[in-house]
Amino acid sequence: MAEEEKKELEETGEADETSVPPVPPVPPDEADAKSEVEAPAEPEQPAAEDKPAEPDWKALYALTLADFDNYKKRAARDREDTFRFAEMDILKDVLPAVDNLELALSNAKEKAEDPFVKGVQLIYDTLLKSLKDHGAEPFESVGKDLDTARMEAIATLPSPDVPEGKVSIESKKGWMLKDKVLRAAQVVVSSGKPE
């Protein structure tokens, strides 16, 4: 019926001027539905694919236990390191005073018998003993290969006595606290014999 109205409007020319509201589709009759050939139903999927697979609880439990055990070990190691290296900042602050005392004593070698120099030497020795008691010790770097983990190269200079790549001068002494670098040594590296 909607098609007949459409044809009449087209013939009279009214279709261009006015628009016809669309006609909603009519549901097919039950008779028409029965006459159509029914498509074969798709086989149903197994119910196991619809549901997510149940997790392996034993494996998850074992994984969680292993993670927790690793966490406990890491926390214990961090706590031990905190106690072992708690004094690191304080000892670092004391090292410039030790350097200054060492410099003063090296400039007063000719006055070694002076009571004042003896007092400075006593203070220097006491500080060194205290540092050693806490696990801090200086390390030698002159004549050794440059170790970038423990040494900081500040220059390279030719040296007739020291082979190329070895430390020729130690500007600032390096210190270790137990097995960690407390302060890197500042060194001058030899560039070989002068030409």
Side-chain angles (χ1 to χ4, degrees):
M1 182 159 161
E3 290 178 18
E4 292 174 6
E5 289 176 12
K6 214 179 208 183
K7 284 182 186 178
E8 286 178 14
L9 290 173
E10 287 176 0
E11 290 174 3
T12 59
E14 294 176 5
D16 297 332
E17 296 172 8
T18 59
S19 63
V20 178
V23 179
V26 180
D29 294 328
E30 290 180 15
D32 292 340
K34 288 180 183 175
S35 65
E36 291 178 7
V37 178
E38 292 184 16
E42 292 183 23
E44 292 184 19
Q45 298 292 330
E49 288 184 9
D50 292 341
K51 294 180 183 177
E54 185 152 332
D56 185 4
W57 294 111
K58 286 183 180 181
L60 285 175
Y61 177 72
L63 185 64
T64 305
L65 277 180
D67 283 346
F68 184 65
D69 189 42
N70 289 338
Y71 164 75
K72 286 193 313 186
K73 288 177 184 175
R74 187 172 52 251
R77 187 173 52 246
D78 290 347
R79 190 172 46 252
E80 180 182 321
D81 282 350
T82 301
F83 288 128
R84 281 183 69 200
F85 300 107
E87 67 264 353
M88 185 175 250
D89 291 334
I90 295 169
L91 295 177
K92 263 188 197 177
D93 292 341
V94 171
L95 291 180
V98 173
D99 292 339
N100 291 337
L101 288 171
E102 185 176 2
L103 184 62
L105 288 171
S106 67
N107 288 330
K109 284 184 181 176
E110 63 276 351
K111 299 179 184 178
E113 297 304 317
D114 185 5
F116 181 75
V117 176
K118 285 184 177 181
V120 172
Q121 180 69 47
L122 184 63
I123 293 169
Y124 177 72
D125 292 341
T126 305
L127 271 175
L128 285 182
K129 183 181 179 313
S130 296
L131 288 169
K132 190 171 185 175
D133 290 345
H134 286 279
E137 291 189 17
F139 60 87
E140 289 297 321
S141 54
V142 176
K144 299 191 175 178
D145 288 329
L146 179 67
D147 179 6
T148 56
R150 300 181 343 152
M151 301 173 198
E152 178 184 342
I154 56 173
T156 58
L157 291 174
S159 173
D161 303 329
V162 182
E164 184 177 354
K166 301 235 185 234
V167 175
S168 59
I169 301 170
E170 184 177 59
S171 172
K172 194 180 278 188
K173 192 176 285 283
W175 287 78
M176 297 290 288
L177 178 62
K178 295 165 183 145
D179 56 348
K180 283 192 176 182
V181 176
L182 181 60
R183 183 179 73 185
Q186 290 185 348
V187 297
V188 176
V189 180
S190 172
S191 60
K193 293 183 178 180
E195 293 181 12

